[in-house]
Amino acid sequence: MPIPAQTAAAPPPVLEVTNIEVVFKKTVQVLRGLSLTVPRGCIVALLGSNGAGKSTTLKAVSNLLGLENGAISAGTIRFDGRPVAGLPPHELVRAGLFHVMEGRRIFEDLSVEENLVAATYARTGRAGSAAGRFDLVYEYFPNLHERRSVRAGYLSGGEQQMLAIGRALVAEPSLILLDEPSLGLSPRLVEEIFAIIARINAEQGTSMLLVEQNAALAFAVASYGYIMETGRIVIDGPVERLARDRDVREFYLGLGGAGGEHRSYRDVKHYKRRKRWLS
Amino acid sequence: MTFDWLLLAEVSLAGLGTGGLYALTALAFVIIYKATRVVNLAIGEILMLGAYAFFGFTATLALPWWAAALGALAVAGVFGAVTERLVIRPMLGESPIAVFMVTVGLGSILVGLVEILWTADPRRLPEFMPATPVFIGEAFLAPKIAYGFLVAAAVITVFMVLFRTWRGGVALRATAGDRAAAYSVGINVPGVFSLAWVIACVVAAGAGILVGAIGGISSTMGVFGLSVLVVVIVGGLDSVPGALVGGLLIGLIEALAGFYLGGEYKLLATFSLLVAVLMVRPYGLFGTREIERL
Ligand SMILES: Nc1ncnc2c1ncn2[C@@H]1O[C@H](COP(=O)(O)OP(=O)(O)O)[C@@H](O)[C@H]1O
Ligand SMILES: [Mg+2]
């Protein structure tokens, strides 16, 4: 889906990141002028290889950089049209921006249901009952209902990812930042989870910024995609167009070219070529 | 000459009684450590603050004991909130050693304040516990120790239940488990830090009133915190069950060593246990493995 042209009357996109730079420990620059937009109601994919800066981008948006001694040194981030700079992370969550972090980050010592109870803090100052949201979580993930009193640390990787997404559902956000939900899961589970991600987007109208290393997966649910390398966006476009792009097919979808044996070597060459273009 | 089993029972009971107070104070230490990862070496002096505040309200203001107790707990709670906000939170992200040293300084300041206000002379708290002798079977137990233990056990039980059932308990445990994840689900993490300090200081002050009622108060009563430190290192810095078991264990060992070997063996016995536990389980009996030791 193309990004609708912005007119004065149109509501602002749910997320607008403009030229941000991120620096860790005042010395290590990780993002170098990154911009992206998430239109309301859409799933936008953010792709890139390991270490490109995808997770850092999400932490910049959810204001979690401070915990790792990182800071946004330039640029602006607007959520629902309002700048988020300086807003404590928990208040941003309460305003409707929910970050499902890489590696699931469930509370292992808490039971499944207590994990959901913890997420009710995201509803602070909001109307509507949390109990109804629990029912919704269990509707999407019947497994979790069965295991609701189990210590979350004992769940399988797939169930932990479901719980991490379930906490977001409790929060009832307008935007979910989803960091590599497929990480370490079997293909069957990944398929199941991506189907639910698409359903949540369609049924709840939740906008999503989806980070993935697996481009084919992301293209299946997203409408628009950004591809980043070393802290910058290098290509972006509607997923149909990205999926036809020769470079993207070759380096992110593993299609085209001659066989797969030398992919890592060519990845390096490609990376260097890009770097030359950009510097 | 036969061994006096009754005497052993009485000494052990007295030790467990003191152990209950160790457990209560250790609980205060663990709450702060779990939520904020701060090793609070001022816990003994916060306990002293509670005892002196109680003394001030009863002796100076002549309040009834229950009002004085509530007042002392309130003073400690305010102290906890202010200390967390003005001293500890600005140190967030500094090295754990630096924060740890700040708490040492905090303890010294409290001792200084108490000596300025009430001099360094030991004092007695007014009697407020029943004085009827307590017998468990045939063994006699000093009533103050018995009631002190009962109050400690009741408070600990209330906290264990609250941790499990109250939503704030979930927030506290979530923050203890993963700070960034706690933020990410909308928990007000600095608020939890503040809450942990308030609760811990109130609990420590309550323990201080009980300890003072049993043994009197003085500006050196903060050394109680030293035994508590042994308790939490043995039990595991981040473990509530560890605080309870460690408290009773250290109380028992101190009493037995003190009675049968002589007072000078108390420290020797507890620190030998400390070394032995650390060699076998460096993270304490119930502690989490990853925790670094200081
Ligand atoms: N807390 C941090 N301190 C210093 N460098 C960091 C930190 N977090 C990430 N980085 C660096 O930033 C780069 C991007 O990391 P990240 O955003 O996690 O990448 P991705 O999610 O795309 O795999 C990496 O080179 C990483 O080493
Ligand atoms: Mg990442």
Side-chain angles (χ1 to χ4, degrees), chain B residues 2-15 134-142 252 256 259-260:
Chain B
T2 60
F3 184 76
D4 189 343
W5 289 102
L6 184 60
L7 190 60
L8 174 67
E10 288 182 344
V11 172
S12 303
L13 280 175
V134 176
F135 285 93
I136 295 169
E138 282 179 38
F140 166 78
L141 185 57
L252 188 62
L256 293 176
F259 185 80
Y260 287 105

PDB file of all heavy atoms in Angstrom, chain B residues 2-15 134-142 252 256 259-260:
ATOM      1  N   THR B   2      25.010 -34.627  83.197  1.00  0.00           N
ATOM      2  CA  THR B   2      24.314 -34.841  81.923  1.00  0.00           C
ATOM      3  C   THR B   2      24.095 -33.513  81.220  1.00  0.00           C
ATOM      4  O   THR B   2      24.058 -32.468  81.852  1.00  0.00           O
ATOM      5  CB  THR B   2      22.939 -35.508  82.161  1.00  0.00           C
ATOM      6  OG1 THR B   2      22.173 -34.646  82.987  1.00  0.00           O
ATOM      7  CG2 THR B   2      23.077 -36.869  82.805  1.00  0.00           C
ATOM      8  N   PHE B   3      23.946 -33.613  79.909  1.00  0.00           N
ATOM      9  CA  PHE B   3      23.754 -32.413  79.095  1.00  0.00           C
ATOM     10  C   PHE B   3      22.365 -31.827  79.362  1.00  0.00           C
ATOM     11  O   PHE B   3      21.378 -32.552  79.454  1.00  0.00           O
ATOM     12  CB  PHE B   3      23.895 -32.773  77.614  1.00  0.00           C
ATOM     13  CG  PHE B   3      23.812 -31.581  76.719  1.00  0.00           C
ATOM     14  CD1 PHE B   3      24.892 -30.714  76.604  1.00  0.00           C
ATOM     15  CD2 PHE B   3      22.659 -31.325  75.999  1.00  0.00           C
ATOM     16  CE1 PHE B   3      24.812 -29.615  75.791  1.00  0.00           C
ATOM     17  CE2 PHE B   3      22.585 -30.214  75.177  1.00  0.00           C
ATOM     18  CZ  PHE B   3      23.664 -29.364  75.069  1.00  0.00           C
ATOM     19  N   ASP B   4      22.285 -30.535  79.539  1.00  0.00           N
ATOM     20  CA  ASP B   4      21.018 -29.870  79.847  1.00  0.00           C
ATOM     21  C   ASP B   4      20.279 -29.523  78.556  1.00  0.00           C
ATOM     22  O   ASP B   4      20.502 -28.492  77.945  1.00  0.00           O
ATOM     23  CB  ASP B   4      21.300 -28.600  80.662  1.00  0.00           C
ATOM     24  CG  ASP B   4      20.007 -28.002  81.193  1.00  0.00           C
ATOM     25  OD1 ASP B   4      18.922 -28.373  80.666  1.00  0.00           O
ATOM     26  OD2 ASP B   4      20.083 -27.176  82.109  1.00  0.00           O
ATOM     27  N   TRP B   5      19.417 -30.452  78.140  1.00  0.00           N
ATOM     28  CA  TRP B   5      18.678 -30.263  76.885  1.00  0.00           C
ATOM     29  C   TRP B   5      17.734 -29.080  76.956  1.00  0.00           C
ATOM     30  O   TRP B   5      17.521 -28.379  75.959  1.00  0.00           O
ATOM     31  CB  TRP B   5      17.901 -31.535  76.530  1.00  0.00           C
ATOM     32  CG  TRP B   5      18.812 -32.630  76.098  1.00  0.00           C
ATOM     33  CD1 TRP B   5      19.213 -33.694  76.838  1.00  0.00           C
ATOM     34  CD2 TRP B   5      19.482 -32.739  74.835  1.00  0.00           C
ATOM     35  NE1 TRP B   5      20.089 -34.474  76.127  1.00  0.00           N
ATOM     36  CE2 TRP B   5      20.272 -33.922  74.886  1.00  0.00           C
ATOM     37  CE3 TRP B   5      19.499 -31.973  73.667  1.00  0.00           C
ATOM     38  CZ2 TRP B   5      21.071 -34.330  73.821  1.00  0.00           C
ATOM     39  CZ3 TRP B   5      20.280 -32.391  72.609  1.00  0.00           C
ATOM     40  CH2 TRP B   5      21.061 -33.553  72.687  1.00  0.00           C
ATOM     41  N   LEU B   6      17.150 -28.858  78.138  1.00  0.00           N
ATOM     42  CA  LEU B   6      16.214 -27.759  78.281  1.00  0.00           C
ATOM     43  C   LEU B   6      16.927 -26.427  78.032  1.00  0.00           C
ATOM     44  O   LEU B   6      16.408 -25.537  77.353  1.00  0.00           O
ATOM     45  CB  LEU B   6      15.598 -27.780  79.689  1.00  0.00           C
ATOM     46  CG  LEU B   6      14.508 -26.719  79.924  1.00  0.00           C
ATOM     47  CD1 LEU B   6      13.360 -26.900  78.949  1.00  0.00           C
ATOM     48  CD2 LEU B   6      14.018 -26.782  81.364  1.00  0.00           C
ATOM     49  N   LEU B   7      18.155 -26.344  78.571  1.00  0.00           N
ATOM     50  CA  LEU B   7      18.928 -25.117  78.384  1.00  0.00           C
ATOM     51  C   LEU B   7      19.217 -24.905  76.892  1.00  0.00           C
ATOM     52  O   LEU B   7      19.105 -23.799  76.363  1.00  0.00           O
ATOM     53  CB  LEU B   7      20.226 -25.217  79.186  1.00  0.00           C
ATOM     54  CG  LEU B   7      21.031 -23.918  79.293  1.00  0.00           C
ATOM     55  CD1 LEU B   7      20.200 -22.837  79.974  1.00  0.00           C
ATOM     56  CD2 LEU B   7      22.320 -24.152  80.054  1.00  0.00           C
ATOM     57  N   LEU B   8      19.588 -25.986  76.215  1.00  0.00           N
ATOM     58  CA  LEU B   8      19.855 -25.902  74.771  1.00  0.00           C
ATOM     59  C   LEU B   8      18.613 -25.379  74.045  1.00  0.00           C
ATOM     60  O   LEU B   8      18.698 -24.501  73.177  1.00  0.00           O
ATOM     61  CB  LEU B   8      20.251 -27.278  74.215  1.00  0.00           C
ATOM     62  CG  LEU B   8      20.402 -27.325  72.683  1.00  0.00           C
ATOM     63  CD1 LEU B   8      21.585 -26.492  72.214  1.00  0.00           C
ATOM     64  CD2 LEU B   8      20.542 -28.761  72.181  1.00  0.00           C
ATOM     65  N   ALA B   9      17.466 -25.926  74.441  1.00  0.00           N
ATOM     66  CA  ALA B   9      16.216 -25.496  73.806  1.00  0.00           C
ATOM     67  C   ALA B   9      15.981 -24.012  74.051  1.00  0.00           C
ATOM     68  O   ALA B   9      15.588 -23.266  73.140  1.00  0.00           O
ATOM     69  CB  ALA B   9      15.046 -26.316  74.336  1.00  0.00           C
ATOM     70  N   GLU B  10      16.229 -23.573  75.283  1.00  0.00           N
ATOM     71  CA  GLU B  10      15.986 -22.160  75.606  1.00  0.00           C
ATOM     72  C   GLU B  10      16.938 -21.241  74.842  1.00  0.00           C
ATOM     73  O   GLU B  10      16.528 -20.201  74.319  1.00  0.00           O
ATOM     74  CB  GLU B  10      16.109 -21.936  77.120  1.00  0.00           C
ATOM     75  CG  GLU B  10      14.925 -22.551  77.857  1.00  0.00           C
ATOM     76  CD  GLU B  10      14.965 -22.315  79.369  1.00  0.00           C
ATOM     77  OE1 GLU B  10      16.043 -21.947  79.888  1.00  0.00           O
ATOM     78  OE2 GLU B  10      13.920 -22.504  80.004  1.00  0.00           O
ATOM     79  N   VAL B  11      18.201 -21.648  74.782  1.00  0.00           N
ATOM     80  CA  VAL B  11      19.179 -20.841  74.038  1.00  0.00           C
ATOM     81  C   VAL B  11      18.794 -20.799  72.549  1.00  0.00           C
ATOM     82  O   VAL B  11      18.826 -19.753  71.900  1.00  0.00           O
ATOM     83  CB  VAL B  11      20.605 -21.401  74.224  1.00  0.00           C
ATOM     84  CG1 VAL B  11      21.581 -20.680  73.293  1.00  0.00           C
ATOM     85  CG2 VAL B  11      21.052 -21.258  75.667  1.00  0.00           C
ATOM     86  N   SER B  12      18.402 -21.960  72.022  1.00  0.00           N
ATOM     87  CA  SER B  12      18.034 -22.024  70.605  1.00  0.00           C
ATOM     88  C   SER B  12      16.825 -21.146  70.318  1.00  0.00           C
ATOM     89  O   SER B  12      16.783 -20.416  69.320  1.00  0.00           O
ATOM     90  CB  SER B  12      17.716 -23.460  70.193  1.00  0.00           C
ATOM     91  OG  SER B  12      18.818 -24.285  70.459  1.00  0.00           O
ATOM     92  N   LEU B  13      15.820 -21.210  71.199  1.00  0.00           N
ATOM     93  CA  LEU B  13      14.616 -20.401  70.994  1.00  0.00           C
ATOM     94  C   LEU B  13      14.952 -18.915  71.009  1.00  0.00           C
ATOM     95  O   LEU B  13      14.473 -18.150  70.161  1.00  0.00           O
ATOM     96  CB  LEU B  13      13.581 -20.707  72.078  1.00  0.00           C
ATOM     97  CG  LEU B  13      12.759 -21.972  71.857  1.00  0.00           C
ATOM     98  CD1 LEU B  13      11.856 -22.232  73.059  1.00  0.00           C
ATOM     99  CD2 LEU B  13      11.927 -21.842  70.589  1.00  0.00           C
ATOM    100  N   ALA B  14      15.797 -18.526  71.956  1.00  0.00           N
ATOM    101  CA  ALA B  14      16.193 -17.112  72.017  1.00  0.00           C
ATOM    102  C   ALA B  14      16.915 -16.721  70.729  1.00  0.00           C
ATOM    103  O   ALA B  14      16.704 -15.630  70.176  1.00  0.00           O
ATOM    104  CB  ALA B  14      17.079 -16.865  73.233  1.00  0.00           C
ATOM    105  N   GLY B  15      17.752 -17.642  70.237  1.00  0.00           N
ATOM    106  CA  GLY B  15      18.478 -17.378  68.988  1.00  0.00           C
ATOM    107  C   GLY B  15      17.529 -17.219  67.814  1.00  0.00           C
ATOM    108  O   GLY B  15      17.663 -16.300  66.998  1.00  0.00           O
ATOM    109  N   VAL B 134       6.819 -16.420  78.716  1.00  0.00           N
ATOM    110  CA  VAL B 134       6.312 -17.283  77.657  1.00  0.00           C
ATOM    111  C   VAL B 134       7.002 -18.631  77.762  1.00  0.00           C
ATOM    112  O   VAL B 134       8.230 -18.701  77.874  1.00  0.00           O
ATOM    113  CB  VAL B 134       6.599 -16.657  76.277  1.00  0.00           C
ATOM    114  CG1 VAL B 134       6.167 -17.592  75.164  1.00  0.00           C
ATOM    115  CG2 VAL B 134       5.900 -15.319  76.158  1.00  0.00           C
ATOM    116  N   PHE B 135       6.215 -19.710  77.778  1.00  0.00           N
ATOM    117  CA  PHE B 135       6.796 -21.054  77.797  1.00  0.00           C
ATOM    118  C   PHE B 135       6.415 -21.777  76.524  1.00  0.00           C
ATOM    119  O   PHE B 135       5.254 -21.761  76.097  1.00  0.00           O
ATOM    120  CB  PHE B 135       6.314 -21.839  79.017  1.00  0.00           C
ATOM    121  CG  PHE B 135       6.985 -21.387  80.283  1.00  0.00           C
ATOM    122  CD1 PHE B 135       6.405 -20.424  81.094  1.00  0.00           C
ATOM    123  CD2 PHE B 135       8.220 -21.920  80.647  1.00  0.00           C
ATOM    124  CE1 PHE B 135       7.046 -19.990  82.252  1.00  0.00           C
ATOM    125  CE2 PHE B 135       8.863 -21.499  81.799  1.00  0.00           C
ATOM    126  CZ  PHE B 135       8.272 -20.527  82.602  1.00  0.00           C
ATOM    127  N   ILE B 136       7.409 -22.392  75.898  1.00  0.00           N
ATOM    128  CA  ILE B 136       7.124 -23.254  74.756  1.00  0.00           C
ATOM    129  C   ILE B 136       7.493 -24.642  75.213  1.00  0.00           C
ATOM    130  O   ILE B 136       8.671 -24.943  75.396  1.00  0.00           O
ATOM    131  CB  ILE B 136       7.908 -22.819  73.511  1.00  0.00           C
ATOM    132  CG1 ILE B 136       7.411 -21.420  73.096  1.00  0.00           C
ATOM    133  CG2 ILE B 136       7.740 -23.833  72.392  1.00  0.00           C
ATOM    134  CD1 ILE B 136       8.240 -20.749  72.062  1.00  0.00           C
ATOM    135  N   GLY B 137       6.480 -25.484  75.476  1.00  0.00           N
ATOM    136  CA  GLY B 137       6.762 -26.717  76.209  1.00  0.00           C
ATOM    137  C   GLY B 137       7.248 -26.310  77.592  1.00  0.00           C
ATOM    138  O   GLY B 137       6.601 -25.518  78.280  1.00  0.00           O
ATOM    139  N   GLU B 138       8.407 -26.797  77.960  1.00  0.00           N
ATOM    140  CA  GLU B 138       8.960 -26.433  79.258  1.00  0.00           C
ATOM    141  C   GLU B 138       9.947 -25.290  79.148  1.00  0.00           C
ATOM    142  O   GLU B 138      10.410 -24.745  80.143  1.00  0.00           O
ATOM    143  CB  GLU B 138       9.672 -27.646  79.880  1.00  0.00           C
ATOM    144  CG  GLU B 138       8.706 -28.645  80.496  1.00  0.00           C
ATOM    145  CD  GLU B 138       9.466 -29.827  81.068  1.00  0.00           C
ATOM    146  OE1 GLU B 138      10.558 -29.614  81.636  1.00  0.00           O
ATOM    147  OE2 GLU B 138       8.979 -30.968  80.919  1.00  0.00           O
ATOM    148  N   ALA B 139      10.312 -24.962  77.896  1.00  0.00           N
ATOM    149  CA  ALA B 139      11.381 -23.977  77.716  1.00  0.00           C
ATOM    150  C   ALA B 139      10.857 -22.558  77.908  1.00  0.00           C
ATOM    151  O   ALA B 139       9.823 -22.186  77.354  1.00  0.00           O
ATOM    152  CB  ALA B 139      11.990 -24.133  76.333  1.00  0.00           C
ATOM    153  N   PHE B 140      11.575 -21.781  78.682  1.00  0.00           N
ATOM    154  CA  PHE B 140      11.209 -20.394  78.933  1.00  0.00           C
ATOM    155  C   PHE B 140      11.807 -19.508  77.840  1.00  0.00           C
ATOM    156  O   PHE B 140      12.944 -19.711  77.409  1.00  0.00           O
ATOM    157  CB  PHE B 140      11.744 -19.968  80.304  1.00  0.00           C
ATOM    158  CG  PHE B 140      11.700 -18.476  80.504  1.00  0.00           C
ATOM    159  CD1 PHE B 140      10.503 -17.836  80.816  1.00  0.00           C
ATOM    160  CD2 PHE B 140      12.855 -17.702  80.367  1.00  0.00           C
ATOM    161  CE1 PHE B 140      10.460 -16.469  80.999  1.00  0.00           C
ATOM    162  CE2 PHE B 140      12.815 -16.325  80.544  1.00  0.00           C
ATOM    163  CZ  PHE B 140      11.611 -15.712  80.864  1.00  0.00           C
ATOM    164  N   LEU B 141      11.016 -18.540  77.416  1.00  0.00           N
ATOM    165  CA  LEU B 141      11.506 -17.592  76.412  1.00  0.00           C
ATOM    166  C   LEU B 141      11.180 -16.194  76.914  1.00  0.00           C
ATOM    167  O   LEU B 141      10.058 -15.922  77.343  1.00  0.00           O
ATOM    168  CB  LEU B 141      10.815 -17.865  75.074  1.00  0.00           C
ATOM    169  CG  LEU B 141      11.280 -17.054  73.869  1.00  0.00           C
ATOM    170  CD1 LEU B 141      12.766 -17.226  73.612  1.00  0.00           C
ATOM    171  CD2 LEU B 141      10.484 -17.468  72.644  1.00  0.00           C
ATOM    172  N   ALA B 142      12.174 -15.299  76.866  1.00  0.00           N
ATOM    173  CA  ALA B 142      11.936 -13.915  77.302  1.00  0.00           C
ATOM    174  C   ALA B 142      10.767 -13.349  76.505  1.00  0.00           C
ATOM    175  O   ALA B 142      10.746 -13.469  75.272  1.00  0.00           O
ATOM    176  CB  ALA B 142      13.184 -13.074  77.093  1.00  0.00           C
ATOM    177  N   LEU B 252      20.348 -18.312  65.265  1.00  0.00           N
ATOM    178  CA  LEU B 252      20.573 -19.548  66.015  1.00  0.00           C
ATOM    179  C   LEU B 252      22.062 -19.754  66.289  1.00  0.00           C
ATOM    180  O   LEU B 252      22.476 -20.031  67.432  1.00  0.00           O
ATOM    181  CB  LEU B 252      20.009 -20.717  65.198  1.00  0.00           C
ATOM    182  CG  LEU B 252      19.960 -22.082  65.867  1.00  0.00           C
ATOM    183  CD1 LEU B 252      19.060 -22.024  67.087  1.00  0.00           C
ATOM    184  CD2 LEU B 252      19.432 -23.127  64.873  1.00  0.00           C
ATOM    185  N   LEU B 256      23.959 -19.893  69.936  1.00  0.00           N
ATOM    186  CA  LEU B 256      24.635 -21.112  70.405  1.00  0.00           C
ATOM    187  C   LEU B 256      26.118 -20.846  70.653  1.00  0.00           C
ATOM    188  O   LEU B 256      26.663 -21.217  71.700  1.00  0.00           O
ATOM    189  CB  LEU B 256      24.457 -22.248  69.385  1.00  0.00           C
ATOM    190  CG  LEU B 256      23.018 -22.764  69.226  1.00  0.00           C
ATOM    191  CD1 LEU B 256      22.941 -23.812  68.128  1.00  0.00           C
ATOM    192  CD2 LEU B 256      22.490 -23.317  70.546  1.00  0.00           C
ATOM    193  N   PHE B 259      26.591 -18.591  73.691  1.00  0.00           N
ATOM    194  CA  PHE B 259      26.308 -19.192  74.996  1.00  0.00           C
ATOM    195  C   PHE B 259      27.322 -20.273  75.350  1.00  0.00           C
ATOM    196  O   PHE B 259      27.859 -20.311  76.455  1.00  0.00           O
ATOM    197  CB  PHE B 259      24.894 -19.770  75.006  1.00  0.00           C
ATOM    198  CG  PHE B 259      24.492 -20.285  76.356  1.00  0.00           C
ATOM    199  CD1 PHE B 259      24.054 -19.406  77.340  1.00  0.00           C
ATOM    200  CD2 PHE B 259      24.583 -21.646  76.665  1.00  0.00           C
ATOM    201  CE1 PHE B 259      23.698 -19.868  78.598  1.00  0.00           C
ATOM    202  CE2 PHE B 259      24.233 -22.107  77.920  1.00  0.00           C
ATOM    203  CZ  PHE B 259      23.786 -21.222  78.892  1.00  0.00           C
ATOM    204  N   TYR B 260      27.598 -21.168  74.406  1.00  0.00           N
ATOM    205  CA  TYR B 260      28.426 -22.329  74.747  1.00  0.00           C
ATOM    206  C   TYR B 260      29.921 -22.037  74.618  1.00  0.00           C
ATOM    207  O   TYR B 260      30.734 -22.667  75.284  1.00  0.00           O
ATOM    208  CB  TYR B 260      28.041 -23.535  73.876  1.00  0.00           C
ATOM    209  CG  TYR B 260      26.714 -24.117  74.297  1.00  0.00           C
ATOM    210  CD1 TYR B 260      25.569 -23.896  73.547  1.00  0.00           C
ATOM    211  CD2 TYR B 260      26.605 -24.866  75.472  1.00  0.00           C
ATOM    212  CE1 TYR B 260      24.348 -24.418  73.940  1.00  0.00           C
ATOM    213  CE2 TYR B 260      25.388 -25.385  75.882  1.00  0.00           C
ATOM    214  CZ  TYR B 260      24.261 -25.164  75.124  1.00  0.00           C
ATOM    215  OH  TYR B 260      23.067 -25.669  75.523  1.00  0.00           O
TER     216      TYR B 260
END
